[in-house]
């Protein structure tokens, strides 16, 4: 596995990083375990200082960190700054809330003879975090901030095309004051990842990535009976009911599908519009997409970034061609496109029927699928006709109706009158082939702790 920085705007390879040696991995695990033995005994107040320091450093050096995101995966600089701030907010959230989220819970026992029962939450040990390239800082922050705050230690295997971002997170935590070894970025091969998972000191695995990677890693973790969380793909439904505010809804649709160049697991990929407003929605949506601007991601006027690599462009083009071959109608939006770089013009797919493989696929880029639904019930049926279950949206002026529809959609998250949102104080995760487990807030910090029962019982109590 080659770890290398290739600028998606120029397709220029900037720097190549060597794989970690077996000795480096052994040293990292030795140090992570030694750090765990002391870090788990460190007070919440001391851990909170480190988390707050990390937040403060990210904000202090906002431009430097954000430029790395733009350099390595092509993210528009304004979005890169937003990601850096979101990462800082996550560290700050746990600095302020970790102790409260893990406070021991007294149990209301039925009989006083049962004693004083409580559940305490204790860290497990070393965790392996396997993270993707599309949000190089946010994806790491949302696992290490809660789990370090809980007292665990972490080794990171980041995506091979964002090695400088991975190294920057390593440097960040050292500067923030984290003990030596408590967090370490590695550049392992696939075989070495398996070796890390198998190490008896590694107690859990958190992965964000593809279904294939998730299935392989979950299988290996299962062989060792180790807890894992999986945040995998998504094909979020964007339901538009007949009473929606169409002007605002279309703006959110254009944004929801094209931010981060459409390379978002919770992007608004399937727009399901009731028949009575479908034609008008499509016309307005097309017009909105034509106003996007491709170009240098460091240019403030650019609104549609390149994809992460030329390989991503080629794969997405093959997917679109496959959908068309199976009967879909494809409309490419003729945006002006730079002569170089990993750019992909937006595509709108319509007339995608049940037999089309596109119905079961995730398009990771600026490809929109539009579906016509005769009414609310059919909209829900189409939304649930997917192997994925990550996020989704419902647009309607009747918020109570929106909540009722949201409850019928089989996903981990549904937003009414907004595309799926990522915030420091909201949980994240899905069901079905989108994975299992949750990250962020209290649900996230409790994924990798031992919920231990302690019951103090009178020695003369009956059995």
């Amino acid at each position: 596995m080659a770890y290398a920085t290739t600028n998606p705007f120029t397709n220029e390879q900037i720097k190549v990083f060597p794989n970690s040696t077996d000795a480096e991995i052994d040293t990292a695990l030795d140090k992570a375990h030694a750090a765990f033995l002391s870090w788990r005994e460190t007070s919440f107040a001391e851990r909170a200082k480190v988390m707050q320091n990390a937040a403060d450093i990210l904000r202090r050096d906002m431009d430097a960190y954000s430029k790395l995101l733009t350099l390595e995966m092509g993210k528009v600089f304004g979005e890169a700054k937003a990601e850096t701030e979101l990462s800082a907010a996550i560290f700050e959230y746990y600095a302020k809330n970790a102790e409260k989220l893990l406070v021991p819970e007294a149990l209301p026992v039925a009989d006083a003879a049962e004693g004083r029962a409580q559940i305490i939450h204790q860290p497990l040990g070393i965790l392996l975090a396997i993270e993707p390239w599309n949000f190089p800082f946010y994806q790491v922050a949302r696992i290490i901030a809660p789990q370090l705050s809980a007292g665990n230690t972490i080794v990171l295997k980041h995506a091979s095309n964002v090695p400088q971002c991975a190294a920057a997170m390593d440097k960040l935590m050292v500067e923030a004051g984290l003990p030596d070894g408590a967090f370490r970025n590695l550049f392992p091969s696939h075989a070495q990842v398996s070796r890390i998972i198998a190490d008896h000191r590694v107690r859990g695995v958190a992965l964000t990535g593809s279904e294939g990677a998730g299935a392989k890693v979950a299988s290996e973790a299962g062989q060792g009976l180790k807890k894992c969380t999986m945040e995998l793909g998504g094909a979020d439904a964007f339901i538009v009911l007949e009473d929606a505010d169409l002007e605002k809804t279309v703006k959110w649709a254009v944004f929801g599908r094209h931010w981060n160049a459409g390379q978002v697991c919770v992007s608004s990929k399937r727009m399901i519009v009731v028949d009575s407003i479908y034609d008008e929605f499509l016309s307005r949506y097309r017009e909105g997409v034509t106003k996007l601007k491709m170009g240098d991601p460091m240019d403030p006027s650019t609104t549609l970034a390149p994809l992460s690599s030329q390989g991503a462009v080629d794969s997405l083009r093959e997917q679109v061609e496959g959908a068309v071959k199976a009967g879909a109608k494809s409309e490419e939006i003729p945006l002006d496109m730079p002569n170089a770089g990993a750019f992909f013009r937006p595509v709108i797919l319509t007339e995608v029927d049940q037999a089309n493989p596109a119905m079961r696929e995730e398009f990771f880029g600026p490809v929109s699928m539009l579906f016509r639904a005769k009414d609310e019930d059919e909209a829900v049926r189409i939304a649930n006709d997917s192997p994925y279950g990550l996020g989704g949206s419902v647009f309607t002026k009747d918020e109570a109706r929106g909540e009722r529809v949201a409850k019928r959609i089989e996903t981990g998250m549904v937003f009414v009158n907004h595309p799926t949102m990522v915030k420091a104080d909201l949980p994240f995760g899905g069901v079905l082939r989108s994975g299992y487990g949750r990250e962020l807030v209290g649900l996230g910090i409790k994924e990798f702790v031992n919920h231990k029962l302690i019951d103090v019982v009178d020695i003369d109590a009956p059995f």
Side-chain angles (χ1 to χ4, degrees), residues 104-141:
E105 303 170 35
L107 297 179
V109 295
D111 187 335
E114 293 179 45
R116 301 189 311 278
Q118 65 172 333
I119 295 174
I120 64 171
H121 312 287
Q122 295 181 315
L124 296 179
I126 305 172
L127 307 177
L128 170 62
I130 302 174
E131 302 301 331
W133 49 262
N134 58 334
F135 290 92
F137 294 157
Y138 159 69
Q139 303 279 12
V140 175

Side-chain angles (χ1 to χ4, degrees), residues 348-422:
I348 298 175
L349 292 177
T350 55
E351 300 179 21
V352 181
D353 63 25
Q354 288 284 333
N356 198 314
M359 283 287 293
R360 304 287 179 269
E361 294 176 349
E362 177 184 22
F363 288 81
F364 218 61
V367 176
S368 309
M369 288 196 289
L370 267 68
F371 298 88
R372 187 190 297 265
K374 67 178 182 180
D375 56 21
E376 175 187 306
D377 286 342
E378 187 175 27
V380 171
R381 182 193 64 74
I382 296 170
N384 288 337
D385 187 15
S386 171
Y388 298 104
L390 194 51
S393 307
V394 181
F395 282 78
T396 171
K397 290 178 181 175
D398 184 341
E399 293 182 359
R401 181 189 187 191
E403 289 186 56
R404 290 195 301 271
V405 173
K407 290 177 182 178
R408 299 173 64 192
I409 300 173
E410 193 174 8
T411 62
M413 305 169 283
V414 183
F415 290 77
V416 178
N417 292 326
H418 202 284
T420 306
M421 186 186 296
V422 289

Side-chain angles (χ1 to χ4, degrees), residues 435-446:
Y436 48 83
R438 292 294 181 271
E439 292 183 320
L440 298 177
V441 299
L443 295 174
I445 200 171
K446 290 181 178 178

Side-chain angles (χ1 to χ4, degrees), residues 129-433:
I130 302 174
E131 302 301 331
W133 49 262
N134 58 334
F135 290 92
F137 294 157
Y138 159 69
Q139 303 279 12
V140 175
R142 78 181 191 190
I143 184 66
I144 72 172
Q147 298 312 326
L148 289 173
S149 295
N152 293 305
T153 57
I154 300 169
V155 291
L156 171 68
K157 183 264 179 265
H158 215 326
S160 61
N161 59 333
V162 290
Q164 294 191 56
C165 289
M169 293 301 283
D170 202 327
K171 179 176 178 290
L172 169 69
M173 298 316 297
V174 170
E175 186 177 353
L178 192 68
D180 182 40
F183 172 69
R184 175 69 194 278
N185 170 64
L186 297 168
F187 295 132
S189 66
H190 291 301
Q192 289 171 324
V193 169
S194 299
R195 187 161 161 264
I196 293 169
I197 294 172
D199 191 287
H200 71 280
R201 296 165 296 182
V202 174
R203 302 297 170 83
V205 184
L207 178 143
T208 298
S210 68
E211 294 173 73
K216 183 177 187 301
V217 168
S219 175
E220 293 184 8
Q223 289 293 318
L225 300 177
K226 298 179 182 184
K227 173 72 181 287
C228 58
T229 57
M230 295 283 144
E231 194 276 278
L232 309 176
D236 283 17
F238 186 99
I239 293 176
V240 185
L241 301 177
E242 72 282 350
D243 63 343
D245 181 324
L246 208 53
E247 180 180 358
K248 294 178 181 179
T249 298
V250 168
K251 288 180 180 179
W252 277 125
V254 173
F255 170 81
R257 186 62 193 104
H258 297 92
W259 66 296
N260 209 42
Q263 302 168 117
V264 186
C265 51
V266 291
S267 180
S268 304
K269 299 184 176 81
R270 296 182 299 139
M271 295 170 198
I272 305 165
V273 187
V274 295
D275 182 71
S276 61
I277 59 169
Y278 176 91
D279 292 332
E280 184 178 1
F281 177 91
L282 175 55
S283 176
R284 292 191 183 201
Y285 182 72
R286 180 188 296 114
E287 181 182 358
V289 177
T290 62
K291 294 177 181 177
L292 295 172
K293 181 184 175 184
M294 292 177 162
D296 184 346
M298 288 300 296
D299 185 339
S301 68
T302 298
T303 54
L304 186 60
L307 298 192
S308 63
S309 67
Q310 187 58 45
V313 171
D314 297 339
S315 295
L316 191 59
R317 184 176 293 116
E318 288 179 11
Q319 262 192 294
V320 171
E321 290 171 354
V324 171
K325 187 176 181 180
K329 180 181 177 182
S330 172
E331 177 184 356
E332 183 178 88
I333 304 301
L335 301 184
D336 291 338
M337 189 166 69
N339 293 326
F343 287 93
F344 190 98
R345 285 194 178 98
V347 169
I348 298 175
L349 292 177
T350 55
E351 300 179 21
V352 181
D353 63 25
Q354 288 284 333
N356 198 314
M359 283 287 293
R360 304 287 179 269
E361 294 176 349
E362 177 184 22
F363 288 81
F364 218 61
V367 176
S368 309
M369 288 196 289
L370 267 68
F371 298 88
R372 187 190 297 265
K374 67 178 182 180
D375 56 21
E376 175 187 306
D377 286 342
E378 187 175 27
V380 171
R381 182 193 64 74
I382 296 170
N384 288 337
D385 187 15
S386 171
Y388 298 104
L390 194 51
S393 307
V394 181
F395 282 78
T396 171
K397 290 178 181 175
D398 184 341
E399 293 182 359
R401 181 189 187 191
E403 289 186 56
R404 290 195 301 271
V405 173
K407 290 177 182 178
R408 299 173 64 192
I409 300 173
E410 193 174 8
T411 62
M413 305 169 283
V414 183
F415 290 77
V416 178
N417 292 326
H418 202 284
T420 306
M421 186 186 296
V422 289
K423 296 289 183 182
D425 54 359
L426 295 176
F428 193 98
V431 295
L432 305 176
R433 296 194 70 83

Side-chain angles (χ1 to χ4, degrees), residues 80-94:
K81 292 177 73 172
E83 179 182 340
T84 305
E85 170 53 36
L86 174 59
S87 302
I90 291 170
F91 281 111
E92 188 167 71
Y93 176 88
Y94 285 102

